[in-house]
Amino acid sequence: PEDPRVKAALQWLGENYVLDENPGMGAEGLFYYYHTMAKALSVAGIEQLKTKTGTVDWREALGRKLLSLQSPDGSWQNTKSGRWMESSPVLVTAYTVLALEHVFRALK
């Protein structure tokens, strides 16, 4: 947590946290953003993320968001942007399962 890179990442997330888009990129790379955000916050041991608008239980918020985006067949797919192969349900489902692993890791 004291590493300057970790501090910088947490500061950036606190200033840019949203779940409706990949900040600055819109729908491009959205599921990769979800995955890397979940990994970074989980590894840093952050339970409540301080943002510009208050404190967020990121695990609950991200978990609900990801589950709301699941397709009826159980997969996930970026339907708004295919950039970086995110139109592939195989790739995006993998990103999402990895993100959900970090979301639910603390519940063990």
Side-chain angles (χ1 to χ4, degrees):
E2 298 307 314
D3 186 290
R5 294 166 292 189
V6 172
K7 288 181 178 181
L10 294 176
Q11 180 180 346
W12 186 90
L13 278 171
E15 293 171 0
N16 296 284
Y17 174 84
V18 292
L19 294 179
D20 293 328
E21 67 175 0
N22 180 356
M25 300 294 294
E28 295 178 359
L30 181 61
F31 287 84
Y32 182 73
Y33 162 67
Y34 292 150
H35 162 59
T36 56
M37 175 179 56
K39 182 177 180 180
L41 292 170
S42 177
V43 169
I46 303 298
E47 297 301 323
Q48 300 289 320
L49 178 64
K50 295 177 186 173
T51 70
K52 294 184 290 189
T53 59
T55 303
V56 175
D57 180 339
W58 70 268
R59 291 180 192 274
E60 180 179 347
L62 181 58
R64 288 182 185 278
K65 179 66 175 182
L66 291 173
L67 293 177
S68 77
L69 297 172
Q70 189 173 23
S71 298
D73 70 358
S75 68
W76 283 266
Q77 180 180 16
N78 189 333
T79 58
K80 296 179 181 174
S81 175
R83 189 163 185 197
W84 298 303
M85 295 179 55
E86 283 207 349
S87 60
S88 167
V90 173
L91 178 64
V92 173
T93 298
Y95 285 158
T96 305
V97 169
L98 289 168
L100 287 170
E101 175 187 11
H102 291 291
V103 165
F104 292 107
R105 179 172 282 168
L107 301 177
K108 291 181 182 179

PDB file of all heavy atoms in Angstrom, residues 12 15-18 20-30 33 83-84:
ATOM      1  N   TRP A  12      -5.917   7.732  -8.732  1.00  0.00           N
ATOM      2  CA  TRP A  12      -6.582   7.826 -10.034  1.00  0.00           C
ATOM      3  C   TRP A  12      -7.981   7.233  -9.953  1.00  0.00           C
ATOM      4  O   TRP A  12      -8.946   7.828 -10.437  1.00  0.00           O
ATOM      5  CB  TRP A  12      -5.756   7.123 -11.120  1.00  0.00           C
ATOM      6  CG  TRP A  12      -6.335   7.318 -12.471  1.00  0.00           C
ATOM      7  CD1 TRP A  12      -6.061   8.316 -13.353  1.00  0.00           C
ATOM      8  CD2 TRP A  12      -7.345   6.502 -13.105  1.00  0.00           C
ATOM      9  NE1 TRP A  12      -6.819   8.171 -14.496  1.00  0.00           N
ATOM     10  CE2 TRP A  12      -7.617   7.071 -14.363  1.00  0.00           C
ATOM     11  CE3 TRP A  12      -8.034   5.352 -12.735  1.00  0.00           C
ATOM     12  CZ2 TRP A  12      -8.546   6.528 -15.251  1.00  0.00           C
ATOM     13  CZ3 TRP A  12      -8.962   4.817 -13.607  1.00  0.00           C
ATOM     14  CH2 TRP A  12      -9.204   5.405 -14.846  1.00  0.00           C
ATOM     15  N   GLU A  15     -10.385   9.495  -8.191  1.00  0.00           N
ATOM     16  CA  GLU A  15     -10.759  10.670  -8.977  1.00  0.00           C
ATOM     17  C   GLU A  15     -11.583  10.327 -10.216  1.00  0.00           C
ATOM     18  O   GLU A  15     -12.279  11.190 -10.748  1.00  0.00           O
ATOM     19  CB  GLU A  15      -9.498  11.421  -9.404  1.00  0.00           C
ATOM     20  CG  GLU A  15      -8.746  12.042  -8.243  1.00  0.00           C
ATOM     21  CD  GLU A  15      -7.387  12.592  -8.625  1.00  0.00           C
ATOM     22  OE1 GLU A  15      -7.000  12.504  -9.812  1.00  0.00           O
ATOM     23  OE2 GLU A  15      -6.689  13.095  -7.723  1.00  0.00           O
ATOM     24  N   ASN A  16     -11.504   9.088 -10.686  1.00  0.00           N
ATOM     25  CA  ASN A  16     -12.134   8.728 -11.960  1.00  0.00           C
ATOM     26  C   ASN A  16     -13.136   7.587 -11.876  1.00  0.00           C
ATOM     27  O   ASN A  16     -13.656   7.149 -12.907  1.00  0.00           O
ATOM     28  CB  ASN A  16     -11.047   8.353 -12.976  1.00  0.00           C
ATOM     29  CG  ASN A  16     -10.152   9.518 -13.294  1.00  0.00           C
ATOM     30  OD1 ASN A  16     -10.521  10.413 -14.022  1.00  0.00           O
ATOM     31  ND2 ASN A  16      -8.961   9.528 -12.701  1.00  0.00           N
ATOM     32  N   TYR A  17     -13.423   7.081 -10.702  1.00  0.00           N
ATOM     33  CA  TYR A  17     -14.275   5.907 -10.532  1.00  0.00           C
ATOM     34  C   TYR A  17     -15.667   6.116 -11.121  1.00  0.00           C
ATOM     35  O   TYR A  17     -16.381   7.041 -10.743  1.00  0.00           O
ATOM     36  CB  TYR A  17     -14.405   5.567  -9.047  1.00  0.00           C
ATOM     37  CG  TYR A  17     -15.368   4.456  -8.753  1.00  0.00           C
ATOM     38  CD1 TYR A  17     -14.982   3.138  -8.826  1.00  0.00           C
ATOM     39  CD2 TYR A  17     -16.691   4.736  -8.411  1.00  0.00           C
ATOM     40  CE1 TYR A  17     -15.870   2.112  -8.554  1.00  0.00           C
ATOM     41  CE2 TYR A  17     -17.591   3.725  -8.126  1.00  0.00           C
ATOM     42  CZ  TYR A  17     -17.169   2.405  -8.203  1.00  0.00           C
ATOM     43  OH  TYR A  17     -18.064   1.402  -7.941  1.00  0.00           O
ATOM     44  N   VAL A  18     -15.997   5.269 -12.048  1.00  0.00           N
ATOM     45  CA  VAL A  18     -17.344   5.146 -12.598  1.00  0.00           C
ATOM     46  C   VAL A  18     -17.509   3.690 -13.042  1.00  0.00           C
ATOM     47  O   VAL A  18     -16.525   2.998 -13.257  1.00  0.00           O
ATOM     48  CB  VAL A  18     -17.619   6.082 -13.804  1.00  0.00           C
ATOM     49  CG1 VAL A  18     -17.653   7.533 -13.391  1.00  0.00           C
ATOM     50  CG2 VAL A  18     -16.625   5.861 -14.908  1.00  0.00           C
ATOM     51  N   ASP A  20     -20.162   3.010 -15.484  1.00  0.00           N
ATOM     52  CA  ASP A  20     -20.902   3.037 -16.741  1.00  0.00           C
ATOM     53  C   ASP A  20     -20.005   3.154 -17.963  1.00  0.00           C
ATOM     54  O   ASP A  20     -20.470   3.025 -19.088  1.00  0.00           O
ATOM     55  CB  ASP A  20     -21.922   4.176 -16.742  1.00  0.00           C
ATOM     56  CG  ASP A  20     -23.023   3.922 -15.721  1.00  0.00           C
ATOM     57  OD1 ASP A  20     -23.363   2.744 -15.495  1.00  0.00           O
ATOM     58  OD2 ASP A  20     -23.530   4.890 -15.149  1.00  0.00           O
ATOM     59  N   GLU A  21     -18.716   3.423 -17.730  1.00  0.00           N
ATOM     60  CA  GLU A  21     -17.773   3.524 -18.841  1.00  0.00           C
ATOM     61  C   GLU A  21     -16.362   3.307 -18.324  1.00  0.00           C
ATOM     62  O   GLU A  21     -16.120   3.306 -17.125  1.00  0.00           O
ATOM     63  CB  GLU A  21     -17.859   4.885 -19.514  1.00  0.00           C
ATOM     64  CG  GLU A  21     -17.375   6.027 -18.630  1.00  0.00           C
ATOM     65  CD  GLU A  21     -17.344   7.371 -19.344  1.00  0.00           C
ATOM     66  OE1 GLU A  21     -17.699   7.441 -20.520  1.00  0.00           O
ATOM     67  OE2 GLU A  21     -16.936   8.349 -18.711  1.00  0.00           O
ATOM     68  N   ASN A  22     -15.449   3.134 -19.260  1.00  0.00           N
ATOM     69  CA  ASN A  22     -14.025   3.119 -18.966  1.00  0.00           C
ATOM     70  C   ASN A  22     -13.604   4.587 -19.033  1.00  0.00           C
ATOM     71  O   ASN A  22     -13.648   5.192 -20.099  1.00  0.00           O
ATOM     72  CB  ASN A  22     -13.290   2.285 -20.013  1.00  0.00           C
ATOM     73  CG  ASN A  22     -11.805   2.202 -19.792  1.00  0.00           C
ATOM     74  OD1 ASN A  22     -11.261   2.827 -18.897  1.00  0.00           O
ATOM     75  ND2 ASN A  22     -11.143   1.435 -20.633  1.00  0.00           N
ATOM     76  N   PRO A  23     -13.226   5.187 -17.904  1.00  0.00           N
ATOM     77  CA  PRO A  23     -12.959   6.629 -17.891  1.00  0.00           C
ATOM     78  C   PRO A  23     -12.015   7.088 -19.008  1.00  0.00           C
ATOM     79  O   PRO A  23     -10.924   6.567 -19.178  1.00  0.00           O
ATOM     80  CB  PRO A  23     -12.314   6.852 -16.521  1.00  0.00           C
ATOM     81  CG  PRO A  23     -12.863   5.754 -15.676  1.00  0.00           C
ATOM     82  CD  PRO A  23     -12.976   4.573 -16.603  1.00  0.00           C
ATOM     83  N   GLY A  24     -12.524   8.037 -19.791  1.00  0.00           N
ATOM     84  CA  GLY A  24     -11.756   8.578 -20.904  1.00  0.00           C
ATOM     85  C   GLY A  24     -11.818   7.746 -22.165  1.00  0.00           C
ATOM     86  O   GLY A  24     -11.337   8.170 -23.216  1.00  0.00           O
ATOM     87  N   MET A  25     -12.405   6.553 -22.089  1.00  0.00           N
ATOM     88  CA  MET A  25     -12.452   5.646 -23.240  1.00  0.00           C
ATOM     89  C   MET A  25     -13.880   5.254 -23.621  1.00  0.00           C
ATOM     90  O   MET A  25     -14.073   4.576 -24.616  1.00  0.00           O
ATOM     91  CB  MET A  25     -11.654   4.376 -22.941  1.00  0.00           C
ATOM     92  CG  MET A  25     -10.184   4.606 -22.636  1.00  0.00           C
ATOM     93  SD  MET A  25      -9.254   5.227 -24.043  1.00  0.00           S
ATOM     94  CE  MET A  25      -9.352   3.849 -25.152  1.00  0.00           C
ATOM     95  N   GLY A  26     -14.844   5.607 -22.826  1.00  0.00           N
ATOM     96  CA  GLY A  26     -16.211   5.204 -23.111  1.00  0.00           C
ATOM     97  C   GLY A  26     -16.375   3.699 -22.949  1.00  0.00           C
ATOM     98  O   GLY A  26     -15.967   3.130 -21.946  1.00  0.00           O
ATOM     99  N   ALA A  27     -16.937   3.061 -23.967  1.00  0.00           N
ATOM    100  CA  ALA A  27     -17.172   1.614 -23.916  1.00  0.00           C
ATOM    101  C   ALA A  27     -15.937   0.804 -24.297  1.00  0.00           C
ATOM    102  O   ALA A  27     -15.894  -0.404 -24.065  1.00  0.00           O
ATOM    103  CB  ALA A  27     -18.328   1.241 -24.843  1.00  0.00           C
ATOM    104  N   GLU A  28     -14.933   1.452 -24.845  1.00  0.00           N
ATOM    105  CA  GLU A  28     -13.740   0.727 -25.287  1.00  0.00           C
ATOM    106  C   GLU A  28     -12.957   0.197 -24.083  1.00  0.00           C
ATOM    107  O   GLU A  28     -12.650   0.935 -23.159  1.00  0.00           O
ATOM    108  CB  GLU A  28     -12.846   1.640 -26.123  1.00  0.00           C
ATOM    109  CG  GLU A  28     -13.495   2.062 -27.413  1.00  0.00           C
ATOM    110  CD  GLU A  28     -12.637   3.016 -28.227  1.00  0.00           C
ATOM    111  OE1 GLU A  28     -11.524   3.382 -27.793  1.00  0.00           O
ATOM    112  OE2 GLU A  28     -13.092   3.396 -29.311  1.00  0.00           O
ATOM    113  N   GLY A  29     -12.686  -1.091 -24.104  1.00  0.00           N
ATOM    114  CA  GLY A  29     -11.924  -1.698 -23.018  1.00  0.00           C
ATOM    115  C   GLY A  29     -12.652  -1.732 -21.689  1.00  0.00           C
ATOM    116  O   GLY A  29     -12.023  -1.864 -20.641  1.00  0.00           O
ATOM    117  N   LEU A  30     -13.959  -1.663 -21.719  1.00  0.00           N
ATOM    118  CA  LEU A  30     -14.749  -1.570 -20.498  1.00  0.00           C
ATOM    119  C   LEU A  30     -14.542  -2.763 -19.568  1.00  0.00           C
ATOM    120  O   LEU A  30     -14.328  -2.605 -18.361  1.00  0.00           O
ATOM    121  CB  LEU A  30     -16.235  -1.427 -20.838  1.00  0.00           C
ATOM    122  CG  LEU A  30     -17.192  -1.287 -19.669  1.00  0.00           C
ATOM    123  CD1 LEU A  30     -16.862  -0.035 -18.857  1.00  0.00           C
ATOM    124  CD2 LEU A  30     -18.630  -1.233 -20.180  1.00  0.00           C
ATOM    125  N   TYR A  33     -11.136  -2.852 -18.026  1.00  0.00           N
ATOM    126  CA  TYR A  33     -11.134  -1.864 -16.928  1.00  0.00           C
ATOM    127  C   TYR A  33     -11.742  -2.474 -15.673  1.00  0.00           C
ATOM    128  O   TYR A  33     -11.174  -2.359 -14.582  1.00  0.00           O
ATOM    129  CB  TYR A  33     -11.900  -0.615 -17.375  1.00  0.00           C
ATOM    130  CG  TYR A  33     -12.363   0.310 -16.264  1.00  0.00           C
ATOM    131  CD1 TYR A  33     -11.457   1.028 -15.483  1.00  0.00           C
ATOM    132  CD2 TYR A  33     -13.726   0.487 -16.016  1.00  0.00           C
ATOM    133  CE1 TYR A  33     -11.892   1.893 -14.482  1.00  0.00           C
ATOM    134  CE2 TYR A  33     -14.166   1.350 -15.022  1.00  0.00           C
ATOM    135  CZ  TYR A  33     -13.249   2.047 -14.251  1.00  0.00           C
ATOM    136  OH  TYR A  33     -13.680   2.905 -13.267  1.00  0.00           O
ATOM    137  N   ARG A  83     -13.663  -3.043 -29.828  1.00  0.00           N
ATOM    138  CA  ARG A  83     -12.231  -2.754 -29.804  1.00  0.00           C
ATOM    139  C   ARG A  83     -11.527  -3.662 -28.796  1.00  0.00           C
ATOM    140  O   ARG A  83     -12.064  -3.977 -27.757  1.00  0.00           O
ATOM    141  CB  ARG A  83     -12.013  -1.287 -29.439  1.00  0.00           C
ATOM    142  CG  ARG A  83     -10.570  -0.876 -29.612  1.00  0.00           C
ATOM    143  CD  ARG A  83     -10.436   0.616 -29.664  1.00  0.00           C
ATOM    144  NE  ARG A  83      -9.059   0.981 -29.959  1.00  0.00           N
ATOM    145  CZ  ARG A  83      -8.555   2.173 -29.766  1.00  0.00           C
ATOM    146  NH1 ARG A  83      -9.327   3.136 -29.318  1.00  0.00           N
ATOM    147  NH2 ARG A  83      -7.309   2.425 -30.038  1.00  0.00           N
ATOM    148  N   TRP A  84     -10.335  -4.050 -29.106  1.00  0.00           N
ATOM    149  CA  TRP A  84      -9.523  -4.956 -28.301  1.00  0.00           C
ATOM    150  C   TRP A  84     -10.229  -6.290 -28.062  1.00  0.00           C
ATOM    151  O   TRP A  84     -10.126  -6.887 -27.010  1.00  0.00           O
ATOM    152  CB  TRP A  84      -9.087  -4.310 -26.991  1.00  0.00           C
ATOM    153  CG  TRP A  84      -8.241  -3.102 -27.208  1.00  0.00           C
ATOM    154  CD1 TRP A  84      -7.076  -3.018 -27.909  1.00  0.00           C
ATOM    155  CD2 TRP A  84      -8.523  -1.780 -26.744  1.00  0.00           C
ATOM    156  NE1 TRP A  84      -6.608  -1.732 -27.909  1.00  0.00           N
ATOM    157  CE2 TRP A  84      -7.485  -0.940 -27.194  1.00  0.00           C
ATOM    158  CE3 TRP A  84      -9.538  -1.222 -25.992  1.00  0.00           C
ATOM    159  CZ2 TRP A  84      -7.441   0.423 -26.917  1.00  0.00           C
ATOM    160  CZ3 TRP A  84      -9.487   0.131 -25.718  1.00  0.00           C
ATOM    161  CH2 TRP A  84      -8.447   0.930 -26.177  1.00  0.00           C
TER     162      TRP A  84
END
